Amino acid sequence: MKIKIRLVFVVLCSNLVFSQKANQDSLFHLAEKQLQEVIIKGKKPVFETKSDRFVFNVEGSSLVEGTNMLNVLQQTPLINIDENQGLNILGVNSMAVVYINNRKSILTGTDLMNYLKTMPADNIVKIEIITSPSAKYDASDAGVINLILKRLENEGWKGNFSMNNEQKRKNSQNSNAYLNYHKGKFTQSTTFHIGENRMLTYNNINNLIYSTGTTQRIDATILNKDFHIGGTHSMDYELNENNLIGAVVELHTNLPKIEQSNSNFTLSNTGVVTNPYFSNSQSDGQAKMVAGNLFYKYNNNKTNRSFETNFDWVYHNMYNNTQFSTYQSNPNIWDYANSIGTDESKRNYALRLDYAQPLGSYNLEIGAKSNYLNLDSPYNFSLWNGTNFINDTNKTNAFKYEEFINAGYLNLSKTFFKKLNVKSGLRVENTDIKTLQEVNSVKSNQNYTNWLPYLNLNYKFNDNHNLTLSYKKSIWRPFANELNPFVFFTNLENVSTGNPRLLPRTKEKYQVSYTIYKSFTIFSYYQNMKNLINSSAVKENEILIRKPQNLNGNIDEYYLGLSVNKSIFKNKININSTAGLIYFNTNQVNTIDNLNLKSDYVGRVNFNITYNNILNTGINLGLYNSFVTASNYINYSINKPSLRTTFEFSKEFKNGFEVEFGGWDPFSIYQWESTFYAPEASFTTNINRDLRGIYFSVIKKFGNTKSKSSKKTESYKGRIWSGNSSE
């Protein structure tokens, strides 16, 4: 009943506003006109509020001179960066998705960060920040960062090569290259990366068992090594003024290796130590990814009609062998040992069609997408018999996963009185999921259809005041590996597994933002979540089994935040600061799931400042700080506040060379202490991460640098994620 009421509300609001006087200027023409005015007026980076997104115009500004794309994003309003996880938008409580010229990037986490470091910033025209994506975007795209790039104007080559060395507890080295070539109607870009990252982390884990009052203690030392090599190659060809074809190929491989040593014991409620032992875990793997995109786009600027078709495919294979053993004093004399081998293969294919045209005084967008994901994950479990590893047929199995998603969308927009823009849309998705455990033929099927409405109202009072209201319903499907029921060991008393019975999470979000003088943005939202997927644990035969599950009940989330973006002293100093407060009302979940964790606030503050060309020396300085308060989040608590600091110096020389020096957390070692609560136990982890350190980079730029912005490459090359096909 609630869904019907909300759908009627969206339709009524749309019809009410659409009945007003027509505005003949399309949103496309307005955006292009305003962008051209910005470029003509000067070199100051300008932050604008459009009808459904924020736009940071940086072309020709000092912000992009002599740096890379990641550094510019660090100085972009509303954007926070975590180099290990990815990009986050202020007020969007999940990682943002990155699009490049409207093409969804397949890379995430550190792979995405390394890719952005290779891209020279002087290639960028503007950064679009979409906090509430329309029905055109994937259902899982909670926030979108779209980078609009230029094309070379002069024929020839342009590129850069960089070498980076990081010293933390361990040393890491990485090299990256970027190459762009343009001739006539043909353009191509190539990136390449190679390197090895090493990280040494210390963990202290305390698992409290409620029924007995005992605590399982694990003191772990974890060494991660990851050699990686890969690259991307994209090309496009202008058939004529209105038609463009192109392709993208991505190749990546890495060799992850994890060595973990644990000291384990049990502490009774009276403080008596029992069952002490040591354990080792060694994991060696190889990951390979091959991905591609073929696209065709028709775009007629005279009639404002466009059509685009995209075919995407991804193949990802991850082979891994993990050997776990326990011992008393001699690590070569095992009390218990097992060996787990996995060889997971994912194949993802997607076909997408998008069409747009004026419809009288309205702008119409319609499209469809069909997505197929196939996962095959054999699981071989072997036990040590004192001499050899012998396959355990009771635990060896294979997990197969198939996912078909067919989606269609419609967006309709119109501008009234030259001030009010209204955009409404509807996305419909049908999902069909089949899973199979080959041993005993255990099957599971899910089939469901979701109706996902969208509404965005933007009112421009004048050049200095802008108000936006939006509503969006979305879903988040569990990852395929979250459904995989196979077991992996932390120690003898703690294992982890997936949950084939997981349901998709649904979310309804109401959002408001107000921008003043293009420098200050007040941002607020309320969202309601159902079937939230979170970690839980059950106890079976004195073993704690951790697995994801859907929490029962609704979760209400409230957010209020402020973003400040200022340039002073002739744009030499740029200040970007964001502060936000989130309140989670988890009373219903805590009561139903018996978590006994109170609702709470989470505070986040980011303050970034850059000083370009200090005292005309050509030296640039950047300082970035982030702070998170202690808080409770549903069944998870952050026990201590955390502060992170990053600094960097850079200097560009006339011969095309640039050097960078910087570091992380010079004043303290970053530690993260958190507790996860389940009905039968709580898990407290103190992670002493390997984040404090320094780095040094050398960059060499070459080739011609004259370029122009291109409308033809601003095409929506819809991209799928490896491991999560959300539509």
Side-chain angles (χ1 to χ4, degrees):
M1 184 63 184
K2 289 183 178 180
I3 295 177
K4 293 181 179 179
I5 292 174
R6 290 180 176 124
L7 282 172
V8 171
F9 169 77
V10 171
V11 173
L12 287 177
C13 287
S14 302
N15 290 337
L16 178 63
V17 179
F18 286 158
S19 65
Q20 306 297 319
K21 180 181 177 182
N23 180 0
Q24 298 300 323
D25 289 327
S26 69
L27 178 62
F28 176 86
H29 280 164
L30 287 173
E32 290 299 315
K33 182 179 179 182
Q34 291 169 0
L35 177 59
Q36 292 167 5
E37 290 174 353
V38 169
I39 296 173
I40 292 171
K41 286 180 180 178
K43 295 181 177 296
K44 178 181 178 180
V46 176
F47 185 67
E48 298 180 277
T49 302
K50 300 294 186 181
S51 60
D52 62 345
R53 65 196 63 195
F54 300 97
V55 180
F56 194 42
N57 298 292
V58 295
E59 183 180 20
S61 73
S62 59
L63 200 66
V64 299
E65 295 176 358
T67 187
N68 60 58
M69 193 74 70
L70 186 63
N71 286 339
V72 175
L73 287 170
Q74 283 183 309
Q75 302 171 62
T76 300
L78 305 179
I79 294 179
N80 303 322
I81 292 182
D82 185 322
E83 291 221 15
N84 296 306
Q85 299 184 29
L87 306 175
N88 177 270
I89 298 175
L90 173 71
V92 179
N93 196 25
S94 58
M95 288 296 120
V97 181
V98 173
Y99 285 70
I100 299 175
N101 282 338
N102 294 305
R103 170 184 165 263
K104 191 172 183 177
S105 173
I106 194 173
L107 301 177
T108 60
T110 55
D111 292 332
L112 176 62
M113 298 299 102
N114 290 330
Y115 178 67
L116 293 173
K117 288 177 182 178
T118 68
M119 299 178 65
D122 53 7
N123 277 356
I124 192 167
V125 176
K126 57 185 176 180
I127 301 169
E128 298 180 337
I129 306 158
I130 308 173
T131 58
S132 184
S134 73
K136 182 177 181 178
Y137 291 89
D138 290 355
S140 63
D141 291 352
V144 171
I145 298 172
N146 187 27
L147 309 177
I148 303 299
L149 308 182
K150 307 174 186 178
R151 304 184 68 206
L152 287 177
E153 186 176 76
N154 289 351
E155 296 189 351
W157 299 93
K158 173 186 177 182
N160 65 65
F161 176 76
S162 65
M163 295 182 293
N164 176 273
N165 187 283
E166 298 179 1
Q167 183 61 55
K168 299 177 181 177
R169 292 191 184 112
K170 297 294 182 179
N171 188 264
S172 300
Q173 309 91 31
N174 292 279
S175 296
N176 302 283
Y178 173 85
L179 189 64
N180 191 307
Y181 174 74
H182 174 69
K183 183 176 178 62
K185 297 182 178 181
F186 177 73
T187 301
Q188 69 175 11
S189 296
T190 303
T191 67
F192 173 78
H193 65 86
I194 185 172
E196 184 172 42
N197 297 310
R198 303 177 184 90
M199 180 176 292
L200 180 62
T201 304
Y202 302 107
N203 290 354
N204 303 114
I205 303 172
N206 291 278
N207 302 333
L208 174 62
I209 313 302
Y210 298 147
S211 60
T212 61
T214 58
T215 300
Q216 298 173 353
R217 176 68 181 262
I218 305 171
D219 295 326
T221 300
I222 306 170
L223 176 61
N224 288 270
K225 299 179 182 178
D226 189 4
F227 172 81
H228 61 89
I229 185 172
T232 66
H233 183 74
S234 62
M235 63 191 81
D236 63 66
Y237 183 79
E238 298 179 32
L239 299 173
N240 53 45
E241 182 181 358
N242 298 327
N243 294 275
L244 181 74
I245 59 173
V248 181
V249 177
E250 303 184 25
L251 303 171
H252 305 276
T253 186
N254 61 301
L255 304 174
K257 183 175 183 180
I258 303 175
E259 300 175 0
Q260 179 170 338
S261 300
N262 296 343
S263 172
N264 313 270
F265 61 88
T266 300
L267 189 67
S268 72
N269 54 7
T270 60
V272 178
V273 175
T274 61
N275 191 30
Y277 66 95
F278 299 96
S279 61
N280 287 331
S281 177
Q282 293 185 334
S283 177
D284 293 279
Q286 180 179 18
K288 296 175 290 185
M289 187 190 77
V290 182
N293 166 260
L294 300 173
F295 70 92
Y296 161 77
K297 182 173 183 180
Y298 167 80
N299 185 49
N300 191 321
N301 291 327
K302 296 180 180 179
T303 63
N304 284 337
R305 294 174 183 265
S306 67
F307 170 75
E308 184 169 2
T309 180
N310 284 270
F311 176 69
D312 294 273
W313 56 274
V314 176
Y315 171 75
H316 184 269
N317 175 261
M318 179 64 191
Y319 168 79
N320 193 75
N321 185 76
T322 302
Q323 182 176 295
F324 172 79
S325 61
T326 69
Y327 62 95
Q328 292 299 319
S329 58
N330 189 338
N332 297 316
I333 302 176
W334 298 340
D335 298 326
Y336 170 89
N338 66 51
S339 177
I340 298 175
T342 59
D343 191 11
E344 181 181 272
S345 296
K346 298 178 184 177
R347 293 172 175 84
N348 206 167
Y349 307 93
L351 177 65
R352 182 162 194 152
L353 306 173
D354 297 285
Y355 177 75
Q357 72 162 60
L359 191 63
S361 58
Y362 301 89
N363 291 317
L364 172 70
E365 294 177 316
I366 58 174
K369 182 177 180 181
S370 183
N371 190 91
Y372 172 71
L373 172 64
N374 174 279
L375 180 143
D376 188 2
S377 181
Y379 174 88
N380 295 299
F381 189 94
S382 300
L383 284 173
W384 179 254
N385 67 355
T387 306
N388 299 300
F389 283 103
I390 305 299
N391 182 258
D392 186 339
T393 57
N394 292 324
K395 295 181 179 179
T396 295
N397 208 329
F399 177 72
K400 296 183 180 293
Y401 176 93
E402 279 190 322
E403 177 185 86
F404 293 90
I405 301 175
N406 293 296
Y409 74 87
L410 182 147
N411 284 326
L412 198 62
S413 63
K414 181 180 174 67
T415 301
F416 304 92
F417 323 119
K418 298 182 180 180
K419 289 182 177 293
L420 176 64
N421 181 274
V422 180
K423 187 172 187 177
S424 64
L426 178 65
R427 186 179 192 87
V428 182
E429 297 188 346
N430 176 261
T431 305
D432 185 52
I433 296 175
K434 297 180 175 67
T435 66
L436 169 66
Q437 298 175 56
E438 287 191 345
V439 176
N440 299 324
S441 296
V442 179
K443 298 180 180 180
S444 175
N445 297 324
Q446 295 185 42
N447 188 290
Y448 49 88
T449 300
N450 297 96
W451 297 74
L452 308 171
Y454 167 84
L455 177 64
N456 188 86
L457 308 174
N458 174 261
Y459 190 82
K460 184 177 181 180
F461 296 93
N462 51 48
D463 290 341
N464 296 322
H465 295 270
N466 201 300
L467 175 67
T468 302
L469 305 171
S470 67
Y471 164 80
K472 178 181 175 66
K473 184 176 181 180
S474 62
I475 63 170
W476 176 268
R477 299 176 182 87
F479 292 103
N481 53 15
E482 290 180 311
L483 303 174
N484 191 331
F486 301 146
V487 173
F488 297 90
F489 283 72
T490 301
N491 66 5
L492 288 177
E493 294 83 24
N494 293 267
V495 300
S496 59
T497 182
N499 182 1
R501 297 182 177 87
L502 285 178
L503 300 174
R505 181 212 68 188
T506 60
K507 180 175 71 174
E508 291 185 272
K509 184 176 183 179
Y510 303 82
Q511 179 177 294
V512 58
S513 65
Y514 190 83
T515 302
I516 307 170
Y517 292 103
K518 301 180 181 179
S519 295
F520 307 92
T521 299
I522 302 171
F523 196 90
S524 182
Y525 70 75
Y526 160 75
Q527 64 183 17
N528 175 270
M529 293 176 285
K530 299 178 182 178
N531 294 328
L532 185 73
I533 300 171
N534 219 334
S535 184
S536 188
V538 295
K539 187 179 180 182
E540 295 181 5
N541 299 322
E542 302 304 318
I543 297 177
L544 284 173
I545 303 175
R546 296 185 61 169
K547 62 181 179 181
Q549 73 168 22
N550 293 109
L551 296 181
N552 298 303
N554 296 338
I555 297 166
D556 297 314
E557 182 178 333
Y558 303 84
Y559 178 85
L560 179 62
L562 172 67
S563 173
V564 178
N565 173 60
K566 291 291 293 182
S567 298
I568 57 178
F569 299 130
K570 298 181 179 180
N571 305 322
K572 285 192 173 184
I573 297 181
N574 296 286
I575 300 172
N576 173 27
S577 180
T578 60
L581 188 66
I582 306 174
Y583 175 71
F584 297 99
N585 184 348
T586 59
N587 293 334
Q588 191 177 100
V589 169
N590 290 333
T591 300
I592 297 175
D593 291 319
N594 192 30
L595 297 176
N596 297 318
L597 191 62
K598 296 181 180 180
S599 300
D600 202 1
Y601 294 88
V602 180
R604 299 176 186 272
V605 178
N606 290 271
F607 179 79
N608 306 326
I609 182 170
T610 59
Y611 188 173
N612 300 315
N613 193 20
I614 300 175
L615 301 177
N616 297 319
T617 61
I619 298 175
N620 305 314
L621 167 66
L623 182 65
Y624 315 101
N625 297 275
S626 64
F627 175 78
V628 180
T629 63
S631 58
N632 296 330
Y633 173 67
I634 308 173
N635 65 336
Y636 177 85
S637 67
I638 303 171
N639 300 333
K640 296 179 180 179
S642 62
L643 173 66
R644 291 219 63 198
T645 301
T646 302
F647 68 91
E648 65 177 17
F649 295 90
S650 66
K651 180 175 176 59
E652 188 172 12
F653 299 90
K654 293 182 179 180
N655 57 5
F657 276 97
E658 180 184 351
V659 295
E660 293 182 2
F661 172 78
W664 305 273
D665 303 323
F667 307 114
S668 63
I669 296 177
Y670 179 69
Q671 297 191 41
W672 186 268
E673 183 177 310
S674 61
T675 302
F676 149 68
Y677 296 87
E680 298 189 53
S682 65
F683 304 79
T684 299
T685 304
N686 187 351
I687 304 176
N688 192 328
R689 293 181 176 175
D690 191 5
L691 298 178
R692 188 183 193 183
I694 58 174
Y695 72 89
F696 181 76
S697 299
V698 178
I699 303 101
K700 169 63 178 175
K701 299 179 181 180
F702 54 86
N704 79 75
T705 58
K706 192 175 182 181
S707 57
K708 64 178 180 180
S709 61
S710 173
K711 299 174 184 177
K712 286 190 173 62
T713 55
E714 295 180 17
S715 54
Y716 187 93
K717 304 172 183 61
R719 171 63 76 183
I720 46 184
W721 290 74
S722 63
N724 179 35
S725 60
S726 292
E727 57 165 350

